[in-house]
Amino acid sequence: MSDLQTSGKQTERFPIGPQPQVTTLSPDERKRLLLALTELPAQFRAAFAGLNDAQLNTPYREGGWTLRQVAHHVPDSHMNAYIRTRLALSEEAPTIRPYDQDAWAALPDMGGDIAVSLDLLEALHGRWVRLLSALSADQWASTFVHPEYGRVYTLDGMLASYVWHGGHHTAQVTGLRERKGW
């Protein structure tokens, strides 16, 4: 099994399986994942198409976030990843600042129109992919330290993680839609 594939039990919480643990990508894997990162905003937007307020306010699983919170969370998370990318490229193995995603999900702006966040994700990915596509092989090995997880991430590993992250949350939305017949 490739280190990019996910394995393990798929659940409502983890509909595409657990996050892959990747350190190094081949040029072909990197190209494939950059394409996936490029396509993610349109796929994510399509997952929400036609949902009404009551549907958006439905948790994707018992005890989970609402679809509206998921719509706002992905751009928040990917903005942090974009900044971590820039830090890794401009500093020597910086220690990044984690954030409390559950506290962010409870902030008042999470109740707003998801179109703003869907547009933000599209613009952010356009800029992020442009940056990543210009990196040299050596730059892909740039690292940052995530103190919450006690791990050093390469930019290759981060790319694999965030492609998974976007697909993971997209699948949470589409999975609920399938279960509910929306």
Side-chain angles (χ1 to χ4, degrees):
M1 179 188 316
S2 165
D3 58 355
L4 291 177
Q5 294 175 329
T6 57
S7 62
K9 185 177 179 186
Q10 295 176 344
T11 64
E12 287 179 5
R13 184 172 185 182
F14 295 104
I16 63 171
Q19 183 176 10
Q21 301 299 310
V22 174
T23 303
T24 305
L25 298 169
S26 71
D28 286 342
E29 289 170 324
R30 204 175 287 135
K31 184 177 179 179
R32 181 176 59 79
L33 290 175
L34 283 170
L35 178 60
L37 198 65
T38 300
E39 294 172 345
L40 176 69
Q43 294 165 350
F44 194 64
R45 185 183 298 273
F48 288 93
L51 293 176
N52 62 39
D53 279 339
Q55 292 165 329
L56 289 170
N57 292 328
T58 303
Y60 73 89
R61 67 171 176 88
E62 187 174 332
W65 289 340
T66 66
L67 297 188
R68 185 182 309 276
Q69 287 173 306
V70 170
H72 295 304
H73 161 73
V74 170
D76 284 350
S77 177
H78 290 209
M79 279 191 292
N80 275 283
Y82 172 70
I83 290 167
R84 292 168 183 173
T85 300
R86 296 180 68 79
L87 288 169
L89 290 167
S90 62
E91 300 176 18
E92 185 66 34
T95 298
I96 57 92
R97 187 181 187 293
Y99 71 101
D100 182 340
Q101 66 182 11
D102 289 323
W104 282 38
L107 292 173
D109 62 330
M110 296 300 256
D113 182 1
I114 68 167
V116 173
S117 286
L118 297 176
D119 291 345
L120 176 59
L121 187 67
E122 184 178 346
L124 174 64
H125 275 236
R127 188 160 170 197
W128 194 16
V129 169
R130 187 170 43 254
L131 173 62
L132 292 173
S133 296
L135 298 184
S136 69
D138 288 344
Q139 287 174 308
W140 279 103
S142 298
T143 62
F144 63 85
V145 178
H146 197 307
E148 185 177 11
Y149 302 130
R151 276 189 68 191
V152 174
Y153 284 84
T154 63
L155 293 185
D156 273 335
M158 188 207 59
L159 174 61
S161 291
Y162 280 89
V163 167
W164 172 86
H165 183 259
H168 160 74
H169 285 299
T170 301
Q172 287 173 336
V173 175
T174 58
L176 178 63
R177 291 187 77 150
E178 289 171 15
R179 291 191 305 278
K180 296 280 192 179
W182 294 341

